[in-house]
Each structure stands twice: as C-alpha cells, then as structure tokens.
Amino acid sequence: MNHSISPFAPSTYPDMPEVAGIRLATAEAGIKYQGRDDVLLIDLCEGTQIAGVFTQSKCASAPVDWCKEKLSGGLVRGMLINSGNANAFTGMKGQSAVDASARLTADVLSCSADEVFLASTGVIGEPLNPGKFDGVLQSLAKNLHADGWKQAANAIMTTDTYPKMATRHLELDGYPVTLNGIVKGSGMIAPDMATMLGFLFTDAPISAPILQALLARLVGGSFNAITVDSDTSTSDTVLLCATGAAAKAGLAPISELADPRVQVFADVLGDLMRDLAQQIVKDGEGARKFVEVAVKGAQDDHSAKKIALSIANSPLVKTAIAGEDANWGRVVMAIGKAGEPADRDRIAIWFGDVRVATQGERDPDYSEEAASRVMQKDEVSLTVDLGIGPGLSTVWTCDLTKEYVAINGDYRS
Amino acid sequence: MNHSISPFAPSTYPDMPEVAGIRLATAEAGIKYQGRDDVLLIDLCEGTQIAGVFTQSKCASAPVDWCKEKLSGGLVRGMLINSGNANAFTGMKGQSAVDASARLTADVLSCSADEVFLASTGVIGEPLNPGKFDGVLQSLAKNLHADGWKQAANAIMTTDTYPKMATRHLELDGYPVTLNGIVKGSGMIAPDMATMLGFLFTDAPISAPILQALLARLVGGSFNAITVDSDTSTSDTVLLCATGAAAKAGLAPISELADPRVQVFADVLGDLMRDLAQQIVKDGEGARKFVEVAVKGAQDDHSAKKIALSIANSPLVKTAIAGEDANWGRVVMAIGKAGEPADRDRIAIWFGDVRVATQGERDPDYSEEAASRVMQKDEVSLTVDLGIGPGLSTVWTCDLTKEYVAINGDYRS
C-alpha cells in the first residue's frame, strides 16, 4: 500500500496561527497505525459555540449519531478525533464505545460529556476499543498547547497523501479575528472506505444558531460541491466552533443573522471552506488532474448543480480527462442522464477556453490541437452553458485513473 | 485499442432459428470501421406489430427521437441499424440524416418511411452521412434472408468483444412460436461512449399495445437491471416486433392483456431479455467478474432496486470485487448513500453463501478464508437483507478494473 503522493501536495504549508481559546494535543494510541499519531484532543474554552453538518447516509457511524444528538446544546468543551477506525457498523458496541470515549474525555477536561464531540475515521465494522483512549488521555490533557495545528492535521489523516489545513485573518469592527481549519479527505483504509472530516475554529464571538446557519449555507459551495467517486461515507462530519475569545479585546458578540458583520465573516469562512474542500479533491485517490466543472444557463441553481455533479461523477468523463481527451460527447451524455431540463440544440461546451461544441453540434471552429493543450494541464476546467435559464453551479472533482482502481482494489496483492 | 476478450465470451453460440416473417442482411458501409459489416437491414412482413423502450436521456440521439415518434403507429416494415456513428448531438444535420435514411430504406423495401425504425451506435457529435447507406441499400435488399442472425449480431457491435444473441421456443395453444433477440452492449468507440441496443422478434400474433405493455414491464428486471458504470447512453433502444406469421398455422391472434397466453409468452420473453441483459454485463468494459446484487427485506421493491443499484454502481464496491475483497464495509456505505429506509442494526450481508455481517455488526462466525474462496470465483453474488419489509430486487453488474480505465482513458496513448 505504498501509493504515490498527489502531484498537488503543497511544497510548503501555511503558518497556522493560534486561535484564542483553543488548545490541541496529539498522541499515538495504536488504534491501527504504527509509528504515527492517530488521536487528537482539542480543548475549547468555556462558552465555545458549535455547529455541525453530517453525512446524509442512512447508515451513519456511531460518532455521527452522538454529535447530532449533542449539537442541540450548541456548546462544546472538548473534541476527541481518531484515525484508523471509523466506529461505523459496530452496533451496540459502537454506541458503548462512543459513550465511554466521551466520558473519558470529559473526565480529563473537567466538563460534561454532553459538551464532548467525537469523530472517527478508518476501518468500518471493527469494534473500537475505548481503552486505547484511556491510555493516552491523561498525557494528551497535559500536552495541550495553542499551536501544533499541523500535527493535528497529520493525526487525522488516513491515506491522505498530505495534511490539509488553511487559515484566514479578518477584521470585524477593527478587531482581528482568526479562522483555522483542518480536514482529512478520501484516502483508502484497507479494507474500508474514504471519509471526509473537517474541523473549523474561530475566536470570533458568534452564537451557535448563526454558526449553524452559515455552515449549512456555505457547505453547498464547498464540501458539498466536491466529489471523488460519488461514494458517500458513513462518517462525514464538519464541525464549526467559535470560542468567542476575541470578545475579550472588545469585539461585541454577534447574535443576530441580520448583523452586517455576519456577511463579512461568511465571505471569509466560505473562502476557507472552499480552499479546504479543493485540497481534498486534489488529494483524491489516484488523482492526477484537478477538474472544475461549471454549469451555467440551467433552469435554476439546483438543476445546474445536479447536472454539474452528473458530469463530475461520470466514470466515462473522468477516465477521458485522465486520458487527456477533450471528449465532449461524454459530457453531453452526462448532461442527458442527469434528468434535468436541457435542450440538446442549445448546449455549448468548453474545455478551458476552447469551445468544442455549440448549438447541439461540434463547434465548426473547434481545434483539436488547442483542446489537447488544455487537457494536458494539471488543472482542467470544463464549462457547460445550457442556454435555457439563469441557473449556475460549480463543483470540483479529480480524474479517474488506474491508480484509483489500484488503491481500492489491489490491497490484497 | 486492442483490448482483451471478456472471460465470459461463449465458446459456442446458440443456433438461431428463423422467425417467420423476418429477413435480414448486413453490409460494409464504411461508416467508421474497416473490413467488417457495420449496417444491418431487417425486412418485416406486412402487419408486423412493434413496441419500444428508449433512453431516459434528455439529450437523446436523432434516431431515438425518430423511433419514439413513429412508435404510435404500432407497425413496422423495416429497420436500418448501423454501428460506428451514433448520430447523437448532431443537431439539424442529425434529423436530416434520419429523414433521408428512413426514406432510402422505405424505397428499397417498398413501404412507408413511417414504418421504418432506425438505430445508430458509435461516435457522438459526428454528422452521419446517409449517402453511406445509399451505396449499400440496393444490395442489402437483394441479400435479405431468413437466417444470418449471427452476422446481424456482429454488424451492430461496437467494441463488444463478442456478438450477443439468444433464442427461445415456446408453444401457445400447441402451436410453435419462436423468440429471437440480438443486443449490443457497452463497448468503447473512441472517442465516445457505450450504447445499449436490443432487438427482439417473434412470429407470435400479438398486437402492439400488448407488446408495449410487456416490454415496459419486463425491461425493469432485465435491461434496466444492469449497470456497467452508471453512465446512460444517448442512444439506448430496445424494440420488440411480432410478425404474427404463426397465425397462418392457425394460432389465434392475441389482442387482450387478459388472454392467459400473454403470461405464458411473457415468462419466456422475460427469460430471453434477462439472458441478453446478462450477456451485456458479462462483456462490460474491462469486466473480469460477473456480479449479482440481490436486495431483500427492503421497504418495497422500488426501494430495494434503488439500494441494489447504489451498491452495483459504487466504484468502491466494484473495485473491491475486482480485488477479490469481501469488503462488506463498502456495501454498508452504498446502502447508506442510497437514501432509502434502512436500519443499520438489522442489516445482514452475504458474499455467496458466506454471511459476513449480521445485526449491524461483523458476523462473529465470519471466516475470511471462506469469503476469499467466494471472491475468487468468476461469478460473485452479493446478498443484502435489510430486515424491514417485503421489498425485493436483483440487479447485475461487473467489477471495475484498470482495464476499464485503460479502455476509456488510454485511447490517445
């Protein structure tokens, strides 16, 4: 299982600043991996507000069930995140493991278990032994510190080929505010599946209902606008926490959605989330190309997104891109199968800035050579104009390569 | 583009009998391929009844549009089918090509163009020159003969690795009746897509409305229960024709759905269609394993089919099967993402006859060795019991191999 590092792996990582009110620690609990940290403890100051979005799977993991239940409180004091075992499809044992893990974490952080959030990623169907946490929680609690974001991003990786993190700085009423995020994406855990986990933190004083509204809105253009292989994990979790520590400097709390500062914050948060989401796709299993699919002229935005995802999920489109083939016939196919309103004779398609089809036919001025140059790049954009309405959507994906099949099919060899 | 022949290619082909009232001829029109027949003309006796089902694509090909329009007449005298060019996404030119092709065919068969049905498979977006047919239609009409079904199945192939045909014999009121079918499946036509075409013929005297009702019902358990890669062609077409020639021997015509003979015929037709549908999956691009996915215990049959297709279309499930990995965690994932009612803690999963998961957990008696033996076979069955209702569905697919990526991505190399 030695798969090559994504060509999009960054040569340098962002310098992640502290977020007032947040301390982190990682440790090696030996859940599955050897010789690397696999558990992350996060301590959040009293009063930290939390929002979350989760997998739509009908077979969600035990930690997802736990988080959904605890979210109604809107408060968080601790997070325990592990890689190596997803604690999914583990029945009653999974539920007990979650209960025990939250209790153990609450003990070392001196908070209520109801304010502990959990996330697990890795093997499905293997019972998760909470005793593994018991052995390291004391030392984790002692080692909590305000930096160490890169170690945190590393500890939650499965077969991601690089750690994923991003930071943003903004000012609200002239007061500095920080936004940090770490995510892990679609790597393969033999013998199981990919999982998306994302954790976002700010010191801005924003109440849980507003965080929830922002997260629910912005996830559509970021984490819900990416696809590697159309498969949905049992464990997908994105949590957004606001410690409110910036209020100490004098920043007035934000507790109304109509507050004009909400939009300022939302713009930066949306940018951070898109950045992190794109990092996941760029490290998609076997990815060699990063693909932006933009659909315009659809009946409405919802219809545009269905068509964009139909294109981005099509194995035939994705293998064509792997083969550097400007195969617009397959794009037409993917538009057609989406089942959304489309008029064959109005469709236009571009690869990069080369229009390959217009008015339901091959573009008469289409240059195969120019299109080939576009397809040879690492990043490929594909634009479709349906010509029937104002609907817009952009999604991101990667190509489908033999490496994807190798990663997911060859582990026994 | 020299891809290996499917391991499921038959060593012998069925001896296809004549169907009274049907004559066929093939020729090399040089549409795309060299050195092989690429056009098939079928002559059907006067009064032949026809039914059809087509792609759900919103970007259907010009011949699909033509057939849908002509189907209301319920009568057919001629069919012209070509490989090498799908006449899809060809705008007004595509429509003119269809008009001209039907007229030319009607001329040599001395019938109305409204009784000519057309199907094309191959490259998308290239104008189809009807002049290619003009050059061969006279000789085709002269060469029409009642056998030659295998040549017909060959002429409609794209990159299918073997011709697909099947035949059934039955008796209605003691009179012999024949059912023949030929299909072509998912082969790759550089630079475009796979297409499914199917043509079914009987000499039974059955009226068009009954044929249509049977075809619409039976396609759900056959051609609409197979998937290679979840991509839907612009050209999918299945036509069912009844010449009625068996009436000459004395068989009374069937024109009521309540006629008890309808069910006798439907059982045999359904069996033929399932046989042909499975042949397509066994020749799926890069297929090395034939996979049956059976879902039971779902809320209803519709829900069971959605879950079965979610499993059969999952790249993670399909690569696991290619890797001979009894990866039931991915099956749970695919159940979950289907969005249909499921109770995690009631699900049971079998590979072959090995139960690998039960009551939402790994089966405690699960033998990795026994499961491995199942996965090493050419044909793998996967059974899911959701345990919440009476819903049943079975679908068929193939594995996802590097060969699939090579066929669809490497054509430029």
Side-chain angles (χ1 to χ4, degrees):
Chain A
M1 283 284 298
N2 237 332
H3 295 293
S4 44
I5 288 170
S6 165
F8 298 101
S11 50
T12 59
Y13 291 94
D15 199 7
M16 300 285 288
E18 299 181 4
V19 176
I22 310 260
R23 295 184 305 152
L24 315 97
T26 62
E28 181 177 348
I31 291 166
K32 181 183 169 74
Y33 307 112
Q34 301 301 321
R36 54 156 280 195
D37 287 354
D38 54 3
V39 58
L40 165 64
L41 177 69
I42 307 180
D43 172 72
L44 305 104
C45 66
E46 210 156 330
T48 298
Q49 307 283 303
I50 188 165
V53 291
F54 304 93
T55 180
Q56 299 293 312
S57 174
K58 299 287 179 179
C59 297
S61 69
V64 165
D65 285 350
W66 170 273
C67 288
K68 282 178 167 171
E69 188 191 323
K70 300 306 172 194
L71 204 62
S72 58
L75 289 168
V76 59
R77 284 295 314 283
M79 278 189 200
L80 188 70
I81 304 153
N82 74 276
S83 55
N85 186 316
N87 193 10
F89 213 63
T90 41
M92 291 303 295
K93 288 194 199 85
Q95 212 172 305
S96 322
V98 153
D99 291 344
S101 305
R103 207 173 50 242
L104 290 165
T105 307
D107 284 350
V108 298
L109 297 180
S110 304
C111 67
S112 153
D114 289 340
E115 294 177 329
V116 172
F117 285 73
L118 303 165
S120 298
T121 172
V123 170
I124 279 194
E126 289 292 328
L128 174 65
N129 175 8
K132 298 274 186 181
F133 300 134
D134 204 9
V136 295
L137 271 166
Q138 293 291 347
S139 70
L140 278 168
K142 275 185 213 133
N143 291 332
L144 286 165
H145 50 286
D147 50 12
W149 288 88
K150 190 174 174 198
Q151 293 93 305
N154 267 301
I156 64 171
M157 283 170 51
T158 48
T159 51
D160 300 64
T161 71
Y162 58 88
K164 299 169 187 70
M165 66 204 90
T167 182
R168 293 291 184 277
H169 175 83
L170 72 153
E171 291 198 350
L172 294 176
D173 297 338
Y175 295 95
V177 162
T178 301
L179 250 168
N180 275 5
I182 58 173
V183 297
K184 58 93 39 187
S186 31
M188 161 72 185
I189 302 294
D192 289 298
M193 80 182 60
T195 306
M196 205 283 277
L197 297 181
F199 306 98
L200 311 167
F201 304 91
T202 182
D203 51 359
I206 307 181
S207 69
I210 294 179
L211 295 177
Q212 188 65 42
L214 291 179
L215 190 61
R217 167 146 59 91
L218 296 171
V219 81
S222 56
F223 298 118
N224 283 347
I226 55 171
T227 177
V228 170
D229 56 11
S230 83
D231 278 337
T232 305
S233 153
T234 52
S235 309
D236 291 337
T237 297
V238 180
L239 297 172
L240 167 60
C241 304
T243 65
K248 286 180 198 153
L251 177 59
I254 299 177
S255 53
E256 296 290 335
L257 211 47
D259 188 321
R261 297 173 299 173
V262 168
Q263 193 52 49
V264 177
F265 181 81
D267 287 347
V268 178
L269 176 63
D271 182 52
L272 177 85
M273 287 167 69
R274 205 161 35 245
D275 179 346
L276 290 166
Q278 292 185 4
Q279 289 189 44
I280 290 176
V281 167
K282 287 179 174 172
D283 199 15
E285 289 172 333
R288 289 298 169 265
K289 298 201 185 269
F290 173 68
V291 185
E292 176 170 287
V293 178
V295 171
K296 58 185 178 181
Q299 184 168 278
D300 54 37
D301 289 356
H302 177 78
S303 178
K305 187 160 187 181
K306 272 195 74 174
I307 291 168
L309 283 173
S310 176
I311 296 167
N313 278 325
S314 160
L316 287 173
V317 171
K318 293 160 81 89
T319 48
I321 291 171
E324 302 191 339
D325 171 15
N327 195 320
W328 58 270
R330 295 187 185 172
V331 178
V332 174
M333 175 282 300
I335 297 167
K337 81 166 179 165
E340 290 297 309
D343 178 345
R344 189 176 57 197
D345 299 339
R346 292 192 187 195
I347 297 172
I349 300 169
W350 289 257
F351 281 98
D353 53 5
V354 179
R355 190 175 68 183
V356 290
T358 178
Q359 295 182 307
E361 292 190 46
R362 184 175 57 184
D363 190 321
D365 302 324
Y366 164 56
S367 150
E368 178 76 16
E369 206 186 321
S372 280
R373 274 195 303 273
V374 165
M375 302 307 290
Q376 282 158 20
K377 293 181 182 162
D378 281 350
E379 308 207 358
V380 174
S381 74
L382 198 172
T383 306
V384 171
D385 188 347
L386 293 163
I388 60 167
L392 291 172
S393 180
T394 300
V395 305
W396 299 277
T397 189
C398 54
D399 54 345
L400 172 56
T401 64
K402 288 180 203 166
E403 183 85 356
Y404 175 89
V405 179
I407 292 170
N408 288 301
D410 279 1
Y411 89 97
R412 277 173 193 268
S413 58
Chain B
M1 284 283 297
N2 236 333
H3 295 291
S4 45
I5 288 171
S6 165
F8 299 100
S11 51
T12 58
Y13 291 94
D15 202 4
M16 301 285 287
E18 299 181 5
V19 177
I22 310 258
R23 295 183 305 151
L24 316 96
T26 62
E28 182 178 347
I31 291 167
K32 180 184 170 72
Y33 307 112
Q34 302 300 322
R36 56 157 278 196
D37 287 353
D38 55 4
V39 56
L40 165 63
L41 177 69
I42 308 180
D43 173 72
L44 305 105
C45 66
E46 211 155 333
T48 298
Q49 307 283 304
I50 187 166
V53 290
F54 305 95
T55 179
Q56 299 292 312
S57 174
K58 299 287 177 175
C59 297
S61 69
V64 165
D65 285 351
W66 170 273
C67 288
K68 280 178 171 173
E69 188 192 324
K70 300 307 173 194
L71 204 63
S72 58
L75 289 169
V76 58
R77 285 296 312 285
M79 279 190 200
L80 187 70
I81 303 152
N82 74 275
S83 56
N85 186 317
N87 194 10
F89 213 62
T90 42
M92 291 302 297
K93 288 193 198 85
Q95 213 171 308
S96 321
V98 153
D99 290 344
S101 304
R103 207 171 50 242
L104 289 165
T105 307
D107 283 351
V108 299
L109 297 181
S110 306
C111 67
S112 154
D114 290 340
E115 293 176 332
V116 172
F117 284 74
L118 303 165
S120 298
T121 172
V123 171
I124 279 196
E126 289 291 328
L128 174 64
N129 174 10
K132 298 273 187 182
F133 300 135
D134 204 9
V136 296
L137 271 166
Q138 292 292 346
S139 71
L140 279 169
K142 272 184 214 135
N143 290 333
L144 287 164
H145 51 284
D147 53 12
W149 288 88
K150 190 175 174 197
Q151 292 95 306
N154 267 299
I156 64 172
M157 281 169 54
T158 49
T159 51
D160 299 64
T161 71
Y162 58 87
K164 299 169 185 69
M165 66 203 90
T167 184
R168 294 291 185 277
H169 175 84
L170 70 155
E171 290 198 354
L172 294 176
D173 296 339
Y175 296 96
V177 162
T178 299
L179 252 169
N180 276 5
I182 58 173
V183 297
K184 59 92 43 185
S186 35
M188 161 72 184
I189 301 293
D192 288 297
M193 82 183 59
T195 306
M196 204 283 278
L197 299 181
F199 306 98
L200 311 167
F201 304 91
T202 181
D203 52 359
I206 307 182
S207 69
I210 294 179
L211 295 177
Q212 188 65 41
L214 291 180
L215 190 60
R217 166 147 60 92
L218 296 171
V219 81
S222 56
F223 298 117
N224 283 347
I226 56 171
T227 179
V228 169
D229 56 13
S230 81
D231 278 338
T232 304
S233 155
T234 54
S235 309
D236 291 337
T237 297
V238 180
L239 298 173
L240 167 61
C241 305
T243 65
K248 284 180 197 151
L251 178 57
I254 299 177
S255 52
E256 298 289 336
L257 211 48
D259 188 321
R261 296 173 300 173
V262 168
Q263 194 51 49
V264 178
F265 181 81
D267 287 345
V268 178
L269 175 63
D271 181 54
L272 177 85
M273 288 169 67
R274 203 159 38 245
D275 179 346
L276 290 166
Q278 293 185 0
Q279 289 189 41
I280 290 175
V281 168
K282 287 179 174 175
D283 199 15
E285 291 173 332
R288 290 295 169 266
K289 297 201 186 274
F290 174 69
V291 185
E292 177 169 287
V293 178
V295 171
K296 58 186 179 182
Q299 183 167 276
D300 54 37
D301 289 356
H302 177 77
S303 179
K305 188 162 187 180
K306 272 194 75 175
I307 291 167
L309 283 173
S310 177
I311 297 167
N313 278 325
S314 161
L316 287 173
V317 171
K318 293 160 80 89
T319 48
I321 291 170
E324 302 189 341
D325 171 15
N327 194 320
W328 58 271
R330 296 188 184 171
V331 177
V332 175
M333 177 281 301
I335 296 167
K337 80 165 180 167
E340 291 295 309
D343 178 344
R344 192 177 54 198
D345 299 338
R346 292 193 188 195
I347 297 173
I349 300 169
W350 291 255
F351 281 98
D353 53 4
V354 179
R355 190 173 68 180
V356 290
T358 179
Q359 294 182 307
E361 292 188 48
R362 187 176 55 182
D363 191 322
D365 303 325
Y366 164 56
S367 149
E368 178 75 17
E369 204 187 323
S372 281
R373 274 196 301 273
V374 165
M375 302 308 290
Q376 283 159 18
K377 293 182 182 163
D378 282 349
E379 309 207 356
V380 174
S381 74
L382 198 172
T383 305
V384 170
D385 188 348
L386 293 163
I388 60 167
L392 291 173
S393 180
T394 300
V395 305
W396 299 276
T397 189
C398 53
D399 54 346
L400 172 56
T401 64
K402 290 181 201 166
E403 182 87 355
Y404 176 88
V405 178
I407 293 170
N408 287 300
D410 279 1
Y411 89 99
R412 278 173 193 268
S413 58

